[in-house]
Amino acid sequence: MAYGQTGTGKTYTVGRLGKDDPSERGIMVRALEHILSSMSFETDRVAISYLQLYLESVQDLLDPEKTNIPIVEDAKTGEISLPGASIVEIKDLEHVFHLLQIGEANRHAANTKMNTESSRSHAILIIHLQRSSRIKEENSSLSNDTHDIFPDDLPLVLKSKLLIVDLAGSERIDKSGSEGHMIEEAKFINLSLTSLGKCINALAENSPHIPTRDSKLTRILRDSFGGTARTSLVVTIGPSSRHYSETSSTIMFGQRAMKVVNTIKLKEEVDYETLYKKVEREVDQLTSEMERQQKLMKNEKMQLDKKLKESEGSFHDLRMTSNIRIENLEKEKCQLESAVKTLMRDLEEERGQNNLLSEQIAELEKLVNENKQQQLENLSRMKIFTDTTKEHEKEMEELLRQLQEERRCSSSLKDRMSVLQQELCDAQSSTQLQESMAHELEKKLTKVTEEFTSQVQSLKEKISELISEKEVIYEELKSTQEKVQQEMLHRQGLEDQILRLKWSTSDICAEESKTSYGMVRSGSGLGNAAFVSKSGKIREALSGQRGTISKIFEEVGLPNVLALLKSEDLDVQIHAVKVVANLAAEDINQERIVEEGGLDALLSLLETSENTTIHRVTAGAVANLAMNGSNQGVIMNKGGARLLANVASKTEDPQTLRLVAGAIANLCGNEKLHLMLKRDGGIKALLGMVRSGHAEVIAQIARGIANFAKCESRVISQGQLNFPFVPQMFHSCFFSGELLQLQLETFSLVYSTAKC
């Protein structure tokens, strides 16, 4: 942590990149360089978060869209975390340079008299370190008791966190020359540094209470300067004697910080998730291996069955062929035996007839020789048949021998299958053992999950309590708004009474009749300024209100104010219309309001809203816009007179009727719009509002008739008026009774004025 006055070199010492010159590198780059050089990517993981505390709001420098990041404290362990902050894993030094350059580009800085690049926020670099380890390692720091609790190969995760803080410099406004928004920045900087000093003082004095919740900076750094951490403090001072008091207070801060004693503890966690994944992976491997063995055994069995069937088929074919051959040979043998018997019988007959046929001896001898020759041939044939039979017998023996070999192979395969079945049983038993271990792990995980669920439930209860507190605060706010609204109504009633008193003086009425062009602007900021009292107090109040509205307009902007006219909240709509009405009272704002679509939004409210307050305030805003001649034609073209006439026919509220009559009276001052006013019912509505009997409403009606008469007189002087046109203008407005008499008198006044 770097602490000191602004401009003394804190950012130079801590956050300088030194990309080209390693000797110029700051503590952030040097620390990350050392960590990367000594880490192993197989077991280690390094990630960083880069944040800034600006105007008491935690912002992400790596992702500028993430602002107002919450600070969460673990109720069980007390550990501080920042959910939502970017955590980027790094692999090399170039990646570090890139991330730090992004963070420095997004960090707030400004030019002051004491520093051309003064940091306007506290920068916090958080380095997350994680190393996977096992208890059975020689360098493990766990005690012997831990070996009794956990298995020898249980995976552990060693986690550490390094915070490098570049504090914004303390400054005095008279020396730094801060102005405007920079003063607010300096206030928040000095506030967080003061809170840090209070915490250091309390720790140095061993106070029972450490005010870490006074600032978000002290909440984030609570573990660093008062927890289980090793803390280093860099104190920077300036050489100028002009800053003697700042240098002295900085050194005293460092001396107090040296008295703080931290207790360093080692935090190790059992990586149950990794262990569960490993066991699950081993179970999957064994299951797949068992399925593979079963599939191989099945394939081998199918192949052996197929070979056995083929051997049986071939043996059956050979047997059938041999039987057929044997039958054929037996048939041939029978035929030969019958032939031999026939020959022997013929020989005996010839021998019996030898004496009788002596002359035929030679022939008989010849026949005998032939018979002998045939017998020899028959004998040779018999020998051939015998040899063939022996060959067939040999083939049968060979087939029998092959069949015996096949049977021996089948028996060996059966033995092998029994062995494989035994191995399968062993694998199933080991799988059951692993499943039991996995079941135990699941029980442990279930227990951890239940604890986590209980923690989540407690958090939900806290959230519900916060929501109930929020509802109570909202109810209080709503009651306060109602009280403010009642006060505003009371104030408006008082202002109406003042206006009635002012109207009772004939001198002011005479003076105001000469300047009856504009609309009366009431205390709420709506209406025409022609009938406002010339009292100094009221003018000061109006000028103060206009100044306030102008200030709001400059800070919020006209588009944002007009966007509020479409809000679903009725109170927001009313206040937005009031602001637009006050802005429309100034000539410089009227053109912008029309260009930005303010007139369309106001007319839409007149048409769609049913609220009397909305009608009253919106009619006042339209009346203010109608004071400008260029806006009058736009209002008429968009149906403004018709909408005002509809509002007048629906309401009995005298204030609403007064503002509607004032708006129509302003439109009567333009002779080009008289036909449109008659067509849209504007003049009829103006005269019809006499029914209210309210003095201010009748005053606005008279002002409208006067404006109309002036325009007609102007046209007469130019020789363009058609006198029958005036009765036609008011013909559709006539009713019966007292209103008819009043309208006839009004018409007579207008007609005589036009003649004059």
Side-chain angles (χ1 to χ4, degrees):
M1 183 164 59
Y3 178 88
Q5 185 187 9
T6 181
T8 54
K10 295 183 298 302
T11 304
Y12 183 88
T13 304
V14 175
R16 189 172 178 84
L17 296 180
K19 190 173 182 181
D20 299 327
D21 187 2
S23 63
E24 294 290 331
R25 292 174 181 173
I27 293 175
M28 290 182 180
V29 179
R30 290 175 185 267
L32 287 168
E33 183 180 11
H34 176 71
I35 291 170
L36 290 173
S37 64
S38 60
M39 66 176 285
S40 173
F41 290 104
E42 296 179 356
T43 59
D44 300 342
R45 177 178 175 269
V46 182
I48 66 170
S49 298
Y50 201 9
L51 310 171
Q52 72 171 352
L53 183 60
Y54 178 68
L55 298 181
E56 279 301 298
S57 174
V58 182
Q59 301 177 3
D60 197 336
L61 291 175
L62 300 181
D63 190 358
E65 295 180 357
K66 296 180 180 179
T67 58
N68 199 14
I69 298 173
I71 302 172
V72 179
E73 180 178 353
D74 192 346
K76 188 174 181 180
T77 62
E79 186 177 356
I80 299 297
S81 61
L82 298 166
S86 299
I87 301 177
V88 183
E89 188 171 353
I90 58 174
K91 296 295 183 182
D92 51 24
L93 198 58
E94 290 296 328
H95 193 193
V96 171
F97 283 129
H98 177 66
L99 294 176
L100 292 180
Q101 283 177 347
I102 293 174
E104 288 300 322
N106 293 325
R107 188 178 177 187
H108 288 274
N111 182 12
T112 65
K113 291 181 179 180
M114 300 182 67
N115 190 357
T116 57
E117 295 181 358
S118 176
S119 300
R120 312 307 293 173
S121 64
H122 307 295
I124 304 172
L125 177 67
I126 304 176
I127 304 174
H128 305 272
L129 303 174
Q130 180 175 318
R131 170 167 292 175
S132 299
S133 177
R134 294 180 182 275
I135 293 180
K136 66 180 183 179
E137 293 180 357
E138 296 179 358
N139 296 330
S140 176
S141 60
L142 294 179
S143 62
N144 294 328
D145 297 336
T146 312
H147 289 276
D148 299 333
I149 299 173
F150 301 107
D152 291 340
D153 58 347
L154 194 63
L156 295 180
V157 177
L158 285 80
K159 295 181 180 179
S160 182
K161 185 168 62 175
L162 173 62
L163 277 76
I164 302 177
V165 185
D166 178 16
L167 296 174
S170 60
E171 63 181 42
R172 292 184 179 178
I173 304 302
D174 55 348
K175 291 184 179 182
S176 62
S178 299
E179 296 178 353
H181 185 63
M182 293 173 62
I183 295 177
E184 296 296 324
E185 295 175 342
K187 287 180 182 178
F188 282 102
I189 291 170
N190 292 334
L191 174 64
S192 57
L193 293 177
T194 303
S195 300
L196 178 62
K198 290 180 181 178
C199 293
I200 295 297
N201 290 339
L203 289 168
E205 296 172 359
N206 293 324
S207 175
H209 172 65
I210 311 299
T212 56
R213 290 187 173 271
D214 291 353
S215 172
K216 290 187 178 181
L217 176 66
T218 54
R219 287 189 65 190
I220 295 173
L221 302 180
R222 189 188 67 179
D223 293 338
S224 299
F225 58 75
T228 63
R230 178 175 293 140
T231 306
S232 299
L233 179 64
V234 178
V235 174
T236 60
I237 58 175
S240 176
S241 60
R242 178 170 174 260
H243 307 301
Y244 173 79
S245 60
E246 288 85 352
T247 302
S248 176
S249 63
T250 301
I251 294 173
M252 289 177 65
F253 176 84
Q255 289 177 343
R256 289 193 297 270
M258 290 173 64
K259 297 179 182 179
V260 179
V261 178
N262 288 356
T263 303
I264 302 172
K265 294 182 182 179
L266 183 64
K267 296 181 181 179
E268 293 181 338
E269 299 177 3
V270 177
D271 193 358
Y272 291 105
E273 184 178 359
T274 305
L275 182 62
Y276 177 76
K277 289 181 179 179
K278 179 182 176 182
V279 173
E280 189 178 20
R281 187 166 57 253
E282 290 179 354
V283 170
D284 292 338
Q285 289 178 356
L286 290 173
T287 305
S288 61
E289 180 66 22
M290 184 176 66
E291 290 176 354
R292 190 180 66 83
Q293 293 290 343
Q294 289 178 352
K295 190 174 181 180
L296 288 175
M297 289 170 58
K298 188 176 181 181
N299 292 334
E300 289 179 357
K301 184 178 179 182
M302 290 175 64
Q303 290 177 0
L304 291 174
D305 291 340
K306 186 177 180 181
K307 288 182 180 180
L308 182 61
K309 288 180 180 179
E310 291 177 355
S311 301
E312 288 178 353
S314 60
F315 176 72
H316 182 70
D317 294 339
L318 289 173
R319 189 172 182 178
M320 292 294 293
T321 306
S322 300
N323 291 331
I324 292 171
R325 288 182 180 180
I326 289 169
E327 289 177 357
N328 293 330
L329 290 173
E330 287 178 352
K331 287 179 180 180
E332 290 179 358
K333 185 179 179 181
C334 291
Q335 291 177 359
L336 290 172
E337 287 177 352
S338 62
V340 169
K341 287 179 180 180
T342 303
L343 291 173
M344 290 296 291
R345 188 174 56 253
D346 293 338
L347 181 60
E348 288 177 356
E349 289 177 356
E350 288 177 357
R351 284 178 180 177
Q353 294 175 3
N354 191 21
N355 295 322
L356 299 174
L357 299 172
S358 56
E359 64 274 7
Q360 296 179 356
I361 289 175
E363 294 179 358
L364 288 173
E365 288 178 354
K366 187 177 180 180
L367 289 172
V368 168
N369 291 329
E370 290 178 356
N371 288 331
K372 286 181 178 179
Q373 189 175 359
Q374 288 180 358
Q375 287 179 358
L376 289 172
E377 290 177 357
N378 290 331
L379 289 172
S380 63
R381 285 182 180 177
M382 287 292 293
K383 187 176 181 180
I384 291 170
F385 289 152
T386 305
D387 294 336
T388 305
T389 304
K390 288 181 179 180
E391 288 179 357
H392 286 302
E393 289 177 354
K394 287 181 180 180
E395 289 179 357
M396 289 176 66
E397 290 176 356
E398 183 67 23
L399 291 173
L400 290 172
R401 186 178 62 77
Q402 289 180 359
L403 179 61
Q404 290 177 357
E405 289 180 356
E406 292 290 337
R407 288 177 178 174
R408 284 197 300 273
C409 291
S410 177
S411 62
S412 64
L413 289 174
K414 289 181 179 179
D415 295 335
R416 185 178 178 186
M417 187 180 297
S418 63
V419 172
L420 291 175
Q421 288 178 351
Q422 185 65 30
E423 291 178 355
L424 178 61
C425 292
D426 296 338
Q428 289 177 350
S429 62
S430 62
T431 304
Q432 292 177 354
L433 179 60
Q434 291 172 357
E435 287 178 353
S436 64
M437 292 175 64
H439 185 63
E440 292 177 358
L441 289 175
E442 287 179 356
K443 287 182 178 179
K444 293 180 181 179
L445 288 174
T446 305
K447 186 177 180 181
V448 174
T449 305
E450 291 176 354
E451 293 177 356
F452 179 74
T453 306
S454 64
Q455 293 177 4
V456 171
Q457 187 66 28
S458 63
L459 289 175
K460 287 182 178 179
E461 292 176 356
K462 290 182 180 179
I463 290 170
S464 63
E465 292 176 0
L466 292 174
I467 290 172
S468 62
E469 292 178 0
K470 180 182 177 183
E471 290 177 353
V472 171
I473 294 171
Y474 178 75
E475 292 295 333
E476 293 177 356
L477 180 61
K478 190 173 182 181
S479 63
T480 306
Q481 288 179 350
E482 290 177 354
K483 291 179 181 179
V484 172
Q485 189 173 6
Q486 291 176 359
E487 291 178 358
M488 289 179 66
L489 292 174
H490 181 63
R491 178 185 173 188
Q492 187 174 1
L494 293 176
E495 289 172 352
D496 292 339
Q497 291 179 4
I498 292 171
L499 288 174
R500 292 192 189 98
L501 291 174
K502 297 299 180 181
W503 268 96
S504 64
T505 59
S506 59
D507 295 337
I508 295 177
C509 289
E511 183 179 356
E512 295 301 333
S513 63
K514 295 178 182 178
T515 58
S516 58
Y517 242 161
M519 179 73 201
V520 176
R521 197 180 293 109
S522 66
S524 62
L526 303 175
N528 191 313
F531 292 102
V532 175
S533 174
K534 298 180 181 179
S535 172
K537 294 182 179 180
I538 297 178
R539 286 189 177 181
E540 291 176 0
L542 289 174
S543 62
Q545 290 178 0
R546 291 178 184 174
T548 304
I549 296 300
S550 299
K551 185 177 180 181
I552 294 173
F553 170 63
E554 291 176 358
E555 293 180 357
V556 178
L558 182 59
N560 294 329
V561 174
L562 295 178
L564 294 176
L565 296 176
K566 300 179 181 179
S567 175
E568 296 180 358
D569 191 346
L570 184 61
D571 293 336
V572 174
Q573 279 189 342
I574 292 171
H575 289 299
V577 176
K578 287 182 179 180
V579 172
V580 174
N582 281 281
L583 291 174
E586 300 292 338
D587 296 339
I588 58 175
N589 298 329
Q590 293 177 354
E591 185 176 356
R592 287 191 59 193
I593 291 173
V594 175
E595 290 178 354
E596 295 289 343
L599 178 59
D600 294 334
L602 293 172
L603 296 178
S604 177
L605 285 176
L606 283 177
E607 184 175 5
T608 59
S609 179
E610 298 294 336
N611 185 269
T612 305
T613 306
I614 290 289
H615 288 166
R616 181 175 63 253
V617 181
T618 307
V622 174
N624 288 341
L625 291 174
M627 292 166 58
N628 191 330
S630 59
N631 295 337
Q632 293 173 353
V634 179
I635 294 172
M636 291 299 300
N637 291 331
K638 293 182 180 293
R642 176 179 54 79
L643 296 175
L644 291 170
N646 291 337
V647 171
S649 63
K650 292 179 182 178
T651 184
E652 296 294 335
D653 180 35
Q655 297 299 327
T656 305
L657 293 174
R658 175 175 65 86
L659 295 172
V660 172
I664 297 176
N666 288 339
L667 295 174
C668 286
N670 191 338
E671 63 272 10
K672 298 179 181 179
L673 305 177
H674 289 174
L675 283 174
M676 295 179 68
L677 281 170
K678 177 178 179 295
R679 182 191 63 194
D680 293 343
I683 296 176
K684 179 180 178 180
L686 180 66
L687 297 178
M689 283 185 279
V690 179
R691 69 182 182 276
S692 67
H694 196 272
E696 294 179 358
V697 178
I698 295 174
Q700 295 301 322
I701 295 172
R703 188 173 65 84
I705 295 172
N707 288 341
F708 183 84
K710 285 183 181 180
C711 293
E712 295 300 331
S713 299
R714 192 182 306 114
V715 175
I716 290 170
S717 64
Q718 296 174 1
Q720 298 176 358
L721 178 63
N722 184 9
F723 283 100
F725 173 72
V726 179
Q728 292 174 7
M729 291 290 289
F730 292 94
H731 178 71
S732 61
C733 305
F734 289 164
F735 300 101
S736 61
E738 296 178 357
L739 182 59
L740 174 61
Q741 183 64 30
L742 179 60
Q743 289 171 340
L744 288 173
E745 293 174 359
T746 304
F747 166 69
S748 300
L749 176 62
V750 173
Y751 197 79
S752 61
T753 304
K755 277 188 174 182
C756 293

